[in-house]
Amino acid sequence: MTAHRPSVSFEFFPPKSPEMEDTLWDTICALAPLAPAFVSVTYGAGGSTRERTHTTVSRIVSEASLTAAAHLTCVDATRAEIDTIARSYWDAGVRHIVALRGDASDPDAGYTPHPDGYAYAVDLVSGLRDVADFEISVAAYPEVHPEAQSAAFDLDNLKRKIDAGATQAITQFFFDNDVFLRFRDRVADAGIEVPLVPGIMPVSNFTSMTRFAAMCGASVPAFLADAFRGLDDTPYERRQVAIELASRQCRELQDAGVSQFHFYTLNRAALTRAVCENIGVAAGGAEPAMAEMAR
Ligand SMILES: Cc1cc2nc3c(=O)[nH]c(=O)nc-3n(C[C@H](O)[C@H](O)[C@H](O)COP(=O)(O)OP(=O)(O)OC[C@H]3O[C@@H](n4cnc5c(N)ncnc54)[C@H](O)[C@@H]3O)c2cc1C
């Protein structure tokens, strides 16, 4: 049974080249009519995309009629530098920050806090609260963050981020809904009352997704491998399977009372748009404005 129209948000990464920027802009044009609650732009590992993230978010704010959120991490920057970036977002009209610890740019190096920086996401959330009255999202891990001392420590870390002023949590992607629903129960038992938004990753490339999932500590159930087996050279069938699986995942979550979804779009519109339409997120009346914007 499908419930009310869910609220959706879309995550993009900042483009590296003019061609990628065109692709992103086409994607934004294709997804904007779905009237997302917000769209967010990631911040590269090691803070490597500081300018590109800023440029992309600013362009979304100034040219698209969409609410934009900027991801911001603690990596390789002093508190003063991060506060300055946050202030410049506020001045550019950005009211929502996704506050993260981030990872080292060299994955083998491990994370070391900057001596004058915010050590963990919780510290960044507190710092942002002093900069301006942002809406703040933080990350949550249904399968536990890979570096966490324990599941209990990780849950407590989430609670501390909320107590420091975060207004919602967005999860790492997952494919087993029971994992999310058990986590949602533990989050509620911990007294966390802000929205817990599941991160949904429609799978466009099974092989690269499994590599990425291993890095993030997200498990890949056997049914996914079975569904994509033998489809490497049949992009149309692969796409249909991807849409069907992600739609089914969202529908099951809707039946369990979930009404908000955050989509990891990988800067591509087709899968996310098809899944949204399958779960009752129809295109509204924003097409003309976006056509104008695309010129
Ligand atoms: C929705 C979402 C969006 C993301 N966007 C980006 C992005 O744009 N750019 C990017 O680089 N990465 C991004 N990430 C990845 C994220 O940066 C990594 O997962 C990172 O390793 C942890 O970030 P965090 O904010 O969860 O960190 P934290 O909440 O600070 O936690 C990190 C780890 O440290 C542990 N910990 C916390 N406090 C302490 C302490 N005092 N002592 C010891 N251990 C502690 C936690 O249990 C956890 O294991 C995103 C992740 C998600 C889920």
Tab-separated table of all heavy atoms in Angstrom, residues 264-288:
chain	number	residue	atom	x	y	z
A	264	TYR	N	21.065	9.161	-3.441
A	264	TYR	CA	22.427	9.348	-3.944
A	264	TYR	C	22.334	9.218	-5.460
A	264	TYR	O	22.262	8.122	-6.002
A	264	TYR	CB	23.357	8.284	-3.352
A	264	TYR	CG	23.507	8.402	-1.854
A	264	TYR	CD1	22.896	7.500	-0.986
A	264	TYR	CD2	24.254	9.438	-1.302
A	264	TYR	CE1	23.024	7.626	0.394
A	264	TYR	CE2	24.386	9.574	0.073
A	264	TYR	CZ	23.771	8.666	0.913
A	264	TYR	OH	23.898	8.795	2.276
A	265	THR	N	22.336	10.352	-6.157
A	265	THR	CA	22.027	10.322	-7.600
A	265	THR	C	23.240	10.018	-8.464
A	265	THR	O	23.082	9.684	-9.636
A	265	THR	CB	21.471	11.684	-8.083
A	265	THR	OG1	22.536	12.652	-8.058
A	265	THR	CG2	20.300	12.161	-7.239
A	266	LEU	N	24.449	10.190	-7.936
A	266	LEU	CA	25.672	10.085	-8.735
A	266	LEU	C	25.591	10.989	-9.973
A	266	LEU	O	26.146	10.684	-11.030
A	266	LEU	CB	25.956	8.637	-9.135
A	266	LEU	CG	26.047	7.636	-7.976
A	266	LEU	CD1	26.355	6.234	-8.494
A	266	LEU	CD2	27.102	8.053	-6.948
A	267	ASN	N	24.873	12.091	-9.828
A	267	ASN	CA	24.729	13.118	-10.876
A	267	ASN	C	23.983	12.616	-12.114
A	267	ASN	O	24.133	13.186	-13.198
A	267	ASN	CB	26.080	13.722	-11.288
A	267	ASN	CG	26.653	14.605	-10.202
A	267	ASN	OD1	26.150	14.626	-9.079
A	267	ASN	ND2	27.711	15.335	-10.525
A	268	ARG	N	23.191	11.553	-11.964
A	268	ARG	CA	22.396	11.031	-13.074
A	268	ARG	C	20.922	11.080	-12.676
A	268	ARG	O	20.584	10.725	-11.542
A	268	ARG	CB	22.768	9.585	-13.398
A	268	ARG	CG	24.215	9.407	-13.771
A	268	ARG	CD	24.426	9.803	-15.217
A	268	ARG	NE	25.847	9.891	-15.522
A	268	ARG	CZ	26.332	10.195	-16.712
A	268	ARG	NH1	25.508	10.471	-17.711
A	268	ARG	NH2	27.616	10.250	-16.926
A	269	ALA	N	20.090	11.470	-13.611
A	269	ALA	CA	18.680	11.683	-13.253
A	269	ALA	C	17.802	10.458	-13.467
A	269	ALA	O	16.838	10.246	-12.731
A	269	ALA	CB	18.118	12.840	-14.083
A	270	ALA	N	18.108	9.653	-14.490
A	270	ALA	CA	17.104	8.698	-14.986
A	270	ALA	C	16.622	7.727	-13.912
A	270	ALA	O	15.410	7.563	-13.714
A	270	ALA	CB	17.675	7.935	-16.181
A	271	LEU	N	17.568	7.065	-13.208
A	271	LEU	CA	17.147	6.060	-12.226
A	271	LEU	C	16.354	6.712	-11.100
A	271	LEU	O	15.281	6.239	-10.713
A	271	LEU	CB	18.368	5.340	-11.632
A	271	LEU	CG	19.169	4.442	-12.573
A	271	LEU	CD1	20.307	3.769	-11.806
A	271	LEU	CD2	18.284	3.396	-13.212
A	272	THR	N	16.899	7.784	-10.553
A	272	THR	CA	16.247	8.433	-9.412
A	272	THR	C	14.858	8.931	-9.802
A	272	THR	O	13.891	8.762	-9.065
A	272	THR	CB	17.127	9.587	-8.899
A	272	THR	OG1	18.351	9.039	-8.420
A	272	THR	CG2	16.447	10.348	-7.781
A	273	ARG	N	14.769	9.514	-10.993
A	273	ARG	CA	13.466	10.039	-11.408
A	273	ARG	C	12.446	8.910	-11.560
A	273	ARG	O	11.300	9.022	-11.093
A	273	ARG	CB	13.612	10.838	-12.713
A	273	ARG	CG	12.299	11.450	-13.135
A	273	ARG	CD	12.441	12.561	-14.136
A	273	ARG	NE	11.106	12.889	-14.627
A	273	ARG	CZ	10.695	14.099	-14.947
A	273	ARG	NH1	11.494	15.118	-14.839
A	273	ARG	NH2	9.482	14.305	-15.381
A	274	ALA	N	12.883	7.800	-12.157
A	274	ALA	CA	11.957	6.673	-12.353
A	274	ALA	C	11.516	6.101	-11.005
A	274	ALA	O	10.337	5.798	-10.805
A	274	ALA	CB	12.631	5.591	-13.197
A	275	VAL	N	12.458	5.977	-10.074
A	275	VAL	CA	12.109	5.438	-8.754
A	275	VAL	C	11.127	6.387	-8.061
A	275	VAL	O	10.114	5.959	-7.494
A	275	VAL	CB	13.378	5.229	-7.891
A	275	VAL	CG1	13.005	4.813	-6.472
A	275	VAL	CG2	14.299	4.192	-8.526
A	276	CYS	N	11.417	7.683	-8.130
A	276	CYS	CA	10.526	8.659	-7.487
A	276	CYS	C	9.114	8.537	-8.054
A	276	CYS	O	8.122	8.554	-7.316
A	276	CYS	CB	11.055	10.077	-7.688
A	276	CYS	SG	12.447	10.447	-6.609
A	277	GLU	N	9.018	8.435	-9.379
A	277	GLU	CA	7.685	8.340	-9.972
A	277	GLU	C	6.979	7.071	-9.497
A	277	GLU	O	5.772	7.078	-9.231
A	277	GLU	CB	7.787	8.432	-11.497
A	277	GLU	CG	8.074	9.875	-11.913
A	277	GLU	CD	8.492	10.059	-13.362
A	277	GLU	OE1	8.686	9.053	-14.063
A	277	GLU	OE2	8.649	11.234	-13.764
A	278	ASN	N	7.742	5.991	-9.331
A	278	ASN	CA	7.142	4.726	-8.862
A	278	ASN	C	6.650	4.794	-7.419
A	278	ASN	O	5.837	3.969	-7.009
A	278	ASN	CB	8.163	3.585	-8.975
A	278	ASN	CG	8.314	3.108	-10.400
A	278	ASN	OD1	7.491	3.428	-11.247
A	278	ASN	ND2	9.363	2.348	-10.663
A	279	ILE	N	7.177	5.726	-6.641
A	279	ILE	CA	6.743	5.796	-5.235
A	279	ILE	C	5.828	7.001	-4.991
A	279	ILE	O	5.644	7.439	-3.857
A	279	ILE	CB	7.934	5.784	-4.253
A	279	ILE	CG1	8.851	6.999	-4.461
A	279	ILE	CG2	8.706	4.493	-4.365
A	279	ILE	CD1	9.884	7.201	-3.352
A	280	GLY	N	5.305	7.542	-6.073
A	280	GLY	CA	4.279	8.573	-5.920
A	280	GLY	C	4.799	9.990	-5.886
A	280	GLY	O	4.098	10.906	-5.460
A	281	VAL	N	6.049	10.188	-6.345
A	281	VAL	CA	6.581	11.555	-6.408
A	281	VAL	C	6.507	11.998	-7.864
A	281	VAL	O	7.430	11.782	-8.646
A	281	VAL	CB	8.042	11.616	-5.897
A	281	VAL	CG1	8.564	13.049	-5.923
A	281	VAL	CG2	8.139	11.037	-4.499
A	282	ALA	N	5.369	12.561	-8.224
A	282	ALA	CA	5.173	12.955	-9.620
A	282	ALA	C	5.761	14.324	-9.874
A	282	ALA	O	5.916	15.131	-8.958
A	282	ALA	CB	3.678	12.958	-9.922
A	283	ALA	N	6.098	14.579	-11.134
A	283	ALA	CA	6.601	15.897	-11.506
A	283	ALA	C	5.506	16.923	-11.321
A	283	ALA	O	4.351	16.684	-11.668
A	283	ALA	CB	7.071	15.870	-12.948
A	284	GLY	N	5.887	18.074	-10.742
A	284	GLY	CA	4.907	19.136	-10.538
A	284	GLY	C	4.992	20.157	-11.640
A	284	GLY	O	5.262	19.829	-12.786
A	285	GLY	N	4.842	21.418	-11.257
A	285	GLY	CA	4.765	22.439	-12.290
A	285	GLY	C	6.031	23.235	-12.497
A	285	GLY	O	5.967	24.353	-12.951
A	286	ALA	N	7.179	22.659	-12.152
A	286	ALA	CA	8.397	23.463	-12.185
A	286	ALA	C	9.121	23.436	-13.531
A	286	ALA	O	10.136	24.059	-13.700
A	286	ALA	CB	9.358	22.997	-11.088
A	287	GLU	N	8.579	22.696	-14.523
A	287	GLU	CA	9.310	22.527	-15.784
A	287	GLU	C	9.683	23.847	-16.472
A	287	GLU	O	10.827	24.012	-16.873
A	287	GLU	CB	8.505	21.665	-16.768
A	287	GLU	CG	7.990	20.366	-16.220
A	287	GLU	CD	8.915	19.186	-16.497
A	287	GLU	OE1	10.048	19.434	-16.920
A	287	GLU	OE2	8.499	18.059	-16.261
A	288	PRO	N	8.758	24.809	-16.600
A	288	PRO	CA	9.123	26.005	-17.351
A	288	PRO	C	10.304	26.751	-16.730
A	288	PRO	O	11.207	27.159	-17.435
A	288	PRO	CB	7.843	26.851	-17.295
A	288	PRO	CG	6.742	25.876	-16.995
A	288	PRO	CD	7.371	24.822	-16.174
